[in-house]
Amino acid sequence: TDDALAAPLAGSLARHVGRVANTQVRATGSWAGNLALAAGAPAFVSDVATMLAAARARVYTLPRGSKGRWRVRGVSVSLTEMSVPEYLALGRGGGGGEAMLPVLVHMEVPLRGVSVSYSDKVSLRHANAHAIVNAAFTLSVDSQLRITGATAAIGGITKRLFVPTAAADSLLGKLLTDVATLNSWVAALETEAVATGISP
């Protein structure tokens, strides 16, 4: 069923969302505000940005100050579609600033097609604490348990959200249950993180 196909990713995201900030913040904050904060302050280790980047979420924006109307379904006016890492790059790290960011108006998360999803964080407490380091991974596997797709996002180990592409690509075609797959993934991840620049 559709629910079963969405379950691995949806369940992982739902569990981690329950650890973001605290009940009061979750009741009044928004995913858009969290992403705008992460874009304006790249050192902020956002659980929301990490989860959504690994989940291959697409965000839709309007230029700041736009008075145009838009519709999510049907005709849209001046909407720009991009990935979460692309949106984050528009912030201070990309030469702009939080005040210059386009306005987030819509997001789509493709829940189907993921076989394995994991998202977690290291923090001072289980709840009510910012992440020191967080990570999210999604894998798609075929009937032989060979990896056909992989995405990852890690916060806190580089100066801004780290989305390893070469390391993720190195998993393709490998057997999910083989310990050598894990060893090669860790080695490729370390190489790419060092090349990107480890956070002080």
Side-chain angles (χ1 to χ4, degrees), residues 9-185:
L9 182 54
S12 174
L13 293 176
R15 185 185 64 79
H16 198 150
V17 163
R19 292 193 62 197
V20 173
N22 54 45
T23 303
Q24 291 81 2
V25 169
R26 290 193 300 272
T28 58
S30 69
W31 62 266
N34 190 285
L35 289 182
L37 176 61
F44 170 53
V45 186
S46 164
D47 288 319
V48 173
T50 304
M51 292 184 300
L52 294 178
R56 304 175 323 279
R58 305 294 293 176
V59 296
Y60 297 79
T61 66
L62 278 174
R64 186 167 291 278
S66 172
K67 296 187 180 1
R69 284 185 261 158
W70 71 91
R71 284 181 273 184
V72 173
R73 303 284 179 223
V75 179
S76 57
V77 178
S78 302
L79 286 179
T80 301
E81 177 187 354
M82 64 190 78
S83 68
V84 170
E86 288 169 336
Y87 176 79
L88 296 177
L90 299 176
R92 203 174 303 159
E98 195 171 344
M100 303 302 292
L101 289 169
V103 179
L104 286 161
V105 295
H106 179 66
M107 173 180 60
E108 293 181 357
V109 180
L111 294 176
R112 293 179 191 87
V114 171
S115 308
V116 178
S117 178
Y118 174 81
S119 182
D120 209 346
K121 70 179 180 179
V122 174
S123 58
L124 293 176
R125 298 177 301 281
H126 180 74
N128 301 340
H130 287 298
I132 298 168
V133 174
N134 58 24
F137 307 92
T138 64
L139 298 173
S140 300
V141 298
D142 63 18
S143 59
Q144 305 299 313
L145 295 181
R146 294 210 174 270
I147 298 169
T148 59
T151 59
I154 304 169
I157 64 169
T158 55
K159 294 177 183 176
R160 56 183 51 91
L161 183 66
F162 175 47
V163 182
T165 53
D169 288 346
S170 75
L171 290 172
L172 300 180
K174 295 190 175 165
L175 193 62
L176 179 65
T177 55
D178 188 348
V179 71
T181 301
L182 176 62
N183 293 336
S184 66
W185 159 252

